[in-house]
Amino acid sequence: MKIELIYTEGCEKCAAARHELRAAAATAVHDLVWREINVLDEVDYAVQLGVIALPSIAIDGQLVFASLPSGLQLQQEMARREKDILRDRCVSPK
Amino acid sequence: MLTIGKLAAIAHVSPDALRYYEREKLIAPTAKSDGGYRLYDEGAVRRIRFIKQAQNCGFTLSEIGELLTLRSRSSACCGDVRKRAIEKKLQLESKIRAMKAMSKALDGLVAECTEESHPIDDCPILSALDRANGIR
């Protein structure tokens, strides 16, 4: 599962929260891909995702949080998506 | 002290705009004259120039109010303002993207019409718009 955290530099509070979120996400799934994106480096991609507030979090290319969630909220969302993925695999096995 | 008329002339806005800014709580008269007229200090000129400049950058009056609040808050820092500026840029880029898509859709419609002398019932652009609505 790919988590992308789109942020802007200069926010110390966000930097600490990013660290905590990454740790929380790492415990939620085995296949975590964690990407932190400085929005000014990838403006086009951020616009494509629909980001209009910072920081934001996208999961597997879909904008999910328009502000930083708690570690628990992120884990719950990841778990819900993981469950959906597993269910889809069972319905249409490759 | 400046009357509303003088302030409007110096700041190149209309008195009505100043009253509107006041209703939106962006400016406030410093005092009132004996006759009840609004009076402003020199700081109002700077504040109005700030408002106009921010409007030119795409900020709404409500967002400008937040910027003015940030400016007067000692706990705020430049990063707070920068974040808002970047978010505004993202909003503008998003609108530009949507408008480019609209422009491209219009290109397609214009390309459908190669003969301008068609009667209106045979207009390819109107037909294409009907098709988009599922009407054949």
Side-chain angles (χ1 to χ4, degrees):
Chain A
M1 188 174 294
K2 183 167 76 172
I3 308 289
E4 291 171 306
L5 195 155
I6 303 100
Y7 71 99
T8 176
E9 280 183 342
C11 173
E12 287 178 23
K13 201 168 69 179
C14 296
R18 291 205 306 262
H19 188 70
E20 286 171 23
L21 282 173
R22 182 175 188 162
T27 64
V29 292
H30 297 296
D31 60 343
L32 176 69
V33 177
W34 181 269
R35 229 183 130 226
E36 293 186 9
I37 302 171
N38 180 344
V39 68
L40 291 181
D41 291 338
E42 297 189 37
V43 171
D44 286 347
Y45 181 57
V47 171
Q48 186 188 320
L49 284 172
V51 174
I52 53 167
L54 297 165
S56 286
I57 289 185
I59 301 179
D60 289 335
Q62 186 185 1
L63 186 65
V64 179
F65 294 104
S67 60
L68 286 190
S70 68
L72 181 62
Q73 285 172 321
L74 179 61
Q75 285 174 327
Q76 285 173 339
E77 180 62 25
M78 292 171 72
R80 190 184 68 74
R81 285 167 179 266
E82 183 86 334
K83 206 169 155 186
D84 286 349
I85 292 167
L86 289 172
R87 190 191 58 219
D88 290 346
R89 276 185 195 154
C90 290
V91 171
S92 54
K94 287 181 182 174
Chain B
M1 296 293 261
L2 302 167
T3 61
I4 194 166
K6 279 184 184 167
L7 177 62
I10 293 171
H12 303 293
V13 292
S14 67
D16 278 346
L18 293 180
R19 291 187 195 97
Y20 184 61
Y21 291 163
E22 188 179 328
R23 283 200 297 277
E24 295 293 311
K25 301 189 191 315
L26 296 176
I27 60 164
T30 316
K32 291 230 170 160
S33 70
D34 292 341
Y37 293 108
R38 296 170 172 85
L39 295 172
Y40 301 87
D41 61 17
E42 294 290 334
V45 179
R46 184 174 161 240
R47 201 170 169 92
I48 291 160
R49 287 187 178 142
F50 178 99
I51 293 167
K52 286 175 66 186
Q53 191 59 33
Q55 279 184 304
N56 288 340
C57 291
F59 287 103
T60 63
L61 291 183
S62 152
E63 290 163 342
I64 293 168
E66 289 173 17
L67 290 175
L68 287 165
T69 304
L70 276 178
R71 192 168 73 166
S72 61
R73 192 185 298 157
S74 58
S75 60
C77 68
C78 181
D80 297 322
V81 179
R82 187 170 185 267
K83 176 175 171 292
R84 281 173 169 74
I86 294 172
E87 287 175 342
K88 177 53 65 180
K89 179 183 165 62
L90 288 170
Q91 288 173 21
L92 293 176
E93 292 288 344
S94 177
K95 281 184 187 168
I96 290 168
R97 194 184 171 97
M99 292 181 91
K100 278 185 175 170
M102 288 181 202
S103 177
K104 201 172 174 183
L106 285 173
D107 282 344
L109 289 176
V110 171
E112 291 227 12
C113 180
T114 51
E115 178 54 67
E116 290 183 29
S117 59
H118 277 307
I120 194 70
D121 286 346
D122 297 332
C123 173
I125 294 179
L126 296 181
S127 299
L129 289 171
D130 270 340
R131 284 202 301 277
N133 287 329
I135 300 168
R136 300 275 166 187

